Each structure stands twice: as structure tokens, then as C-alpha cells.
């Protein structure tokens, strides 16, 4: 994929229907996605990809963890940097999110209908299923995996404040 396609996919991805739930703080989360994209060479034709996107349990990376990890590979200077972090940012904690994307769970079909009709039918299907972890994403056909990663990034961004709050309430930060 060339850089232009990548940027185009990122800029032109829309979350039509976000999941009702966010990434779980203390467990794994599996989102069901419906990614729709218009075929560029056939008018009124939409590709629908469905599958699962698995988010691993978020982890807290603290200065202590960084010190243990960095000192193995970066030596004495890493220790000095960690000391500086402890002094200047005692509450520093970085969240680490991991996603697994299994292509074996992905199916695709081509639908000969206008995009708005396809999205409307998918919205009805998701409502009937009452699945709080389903998402509908409008992406770019050639860069559909980038569109899916953009969705993952958005989920991390919206989940992080709740995850931090959960850890704070449990005294883990």
C-alpha cells in the first residue's frame, strides 16, 4: 500500500455506529465489526466485511517497569532517565493496549445496493442482535485494514479515561 492510500484510508474512515461498550479494563474485549466500502469501479456496489477484533487486557506501564525493561537493553543512561522520570513525573503511568486481528474470522460479500441502504440494513441487524460490542465502519476498500486499525485507535482513545478511572478506584495508580 502506498503512503497516499494509507493517508486516504485514515482520513476517510468513519465510525457509523460505535460499540455501546468500551475496552474492558480487567479483561479481554471482542468487538464485532461490519466494515463497508464502496467499490471504485462499479457504481452502487458495496463490499461488506465482517469479523472480530480482539482487544487484549490493557496494561499499566510504570516507571518501575520501564526501569526493569530499559536497563537490560539501554544500560546506565536508561537508569538516569528513569530517575529523572521519577522526580519529574511521579504519577506517570502509560497504558499499553494490544489488539489481535484474526483474518480467519473475516468474511466478505459484495452487495449491489447504494451505500446508505446497506448501512441502514446493517444498523437494523445490529439493533436486532442487541450486541453492545458491534460496530459499523465506513472505510476505504483498498485500505480496509487501515480503516479497521483507525477504529481500534478510536476505541483506545475513548476507553483510556474509563480504564484509568477503574485503576485509580482500585488504587493501582
Amino acid at each position: 500500500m502506498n503512503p497516499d492510500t494509507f493517508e486516504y484510508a485514515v482520513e476517510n474512515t468513519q465510525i457509523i455506529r460505535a460499540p455501546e461498550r468500551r475496552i474492558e479494563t480487567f479483561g479481554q474485549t471482542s468487538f464485532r465489526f461490519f466494515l463497508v466500502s464502496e467499490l471504485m469501479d462499479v457504481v452502487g456496489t458495496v463490499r461488506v466485511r465482517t469479523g472480530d477484533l480482539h482487544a487484549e487486557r490493557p496494561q499499566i506501564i510504570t516507571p518501575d517497569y520501564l526501569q526493569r525493561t530499559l536497563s537490560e537493553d539501554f544500560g546506565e543512561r536508561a537508569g538516569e532517565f528513569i530517575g529523572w522520570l521519577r522526580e519529574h513525573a511521579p504519577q506517570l503511568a502509560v497504558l499499553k493496549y494490544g489488539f489481535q486481528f484474526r483474518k480467519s474470522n473475516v468474511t466478505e460479500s459484495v452487495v449491489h445496493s447504494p451505500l446508505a441502504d446497506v448501512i441502514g440494513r446493517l444498523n437494523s441487524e445490529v439493533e436486532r442482535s442487541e450486541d453492545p460490542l458491534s460496530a459499523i465502519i465506513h472505510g476505504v476498500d483498498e485500505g480496509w485494514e487501515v480503516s479497521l486499525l483507525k477504529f481500534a485507535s478510536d476505541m483506545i482513545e475513548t476507553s483510556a479515561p474509563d480504564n484509568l478511572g477503574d485503576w485509580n478506584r482500585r488504587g493501582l495508580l
Side-chain angles (χ1 to χ4, degrees):
M1 175 182 302
N2 70 46
D4 292 337
T5 304
F6 177 84
E7 287 179 34
Y8 182 79
V10 170
E11 292 170 3
N12 289 284
T13 296
Q14 288 182 287
I15 309 306
I16 303 296
R17 183 184 185 113
E20 295 172 15
R21 294 196 15 222
R22 302 293 176 236
I23 298 171
E24 296 288 333
T25 304
F26 301 107
Q28 292 188 345
T29 310
S30 292
F31 295 104
R32 181 80 177 147
F33 68 86
F34 298 86
L35 195 145
V36 296
S37 55
E38 295 176 277
L39 298 182
M40 301 306 281
D41 52 352
V42 184
V43 177
T45 305
V46 177
R47 187 180 325 269
V48 179
R49 292 177 174 93
T50 61
D52 298 309
L53 184 67
H54 304 280
E56 298 172 359
R57 177 183 175 179
Q59 298 175 2
I60 305 170
I61 299 176
T62 61
D64 288 333
Y65 173 83
L66 288 173
Q67 182 174 13
R68 287 191 310 273
T69 305
L70 292 177
S71 62
E72 294 171 9
D73 293 330
F74 290 93
E76 185 179 319
R77 289 288 179 196
E80 291 174 21
F81 175 71
I82 297 300
W84 179 87
L85 278 179
R86 286 179 198 264
E87 184 179 325
H88 292 91
Q91 300 303 316
L92 174 74
V94 177
L95 299 184
K96 175 185 170 193
Y97 289 87
F99 276 88
Q100 268 186 339
F101 175 59
R102 299 182 193 145
K103 285 188 178 188
S104 61
N105 293 339
V106 175
T107 60
E108 67 177 60
S109 60
V110 174
V111 180
H112 299 284
S113 293
L115 178 66
D117 293 351
V118 174
I119 289 172
R121 286 193 295 269
L122 288 173
N123 253 322
S124 296
E125 183 180 327
V126 169
E127 280 184 32
R128 278 192 308 279
S129 75
E130 297 181 4
D131 180 2
L133 294 172
S134 287
I136 301 173
I137 306 159
H138 177 210
V140 175
D141 197 55
E142 185 179 337
W144 74 275
E145 289 170 314
V146 174
S147 294
L148 191 57
L149 291 172
K150 171 74 167 83
F151 163 72
S153 172
D154 289 353
M155 289 308 302
I156 289 170
E157 187 176 326
T158 58
S159 299
D162 291 340
N163 297 148
L164 285 169
D166 289 345
W167 281 317
N168 273 327
R169 282 187 288 283
R170 290 197 181 184
L172 299 172
L173 287 179

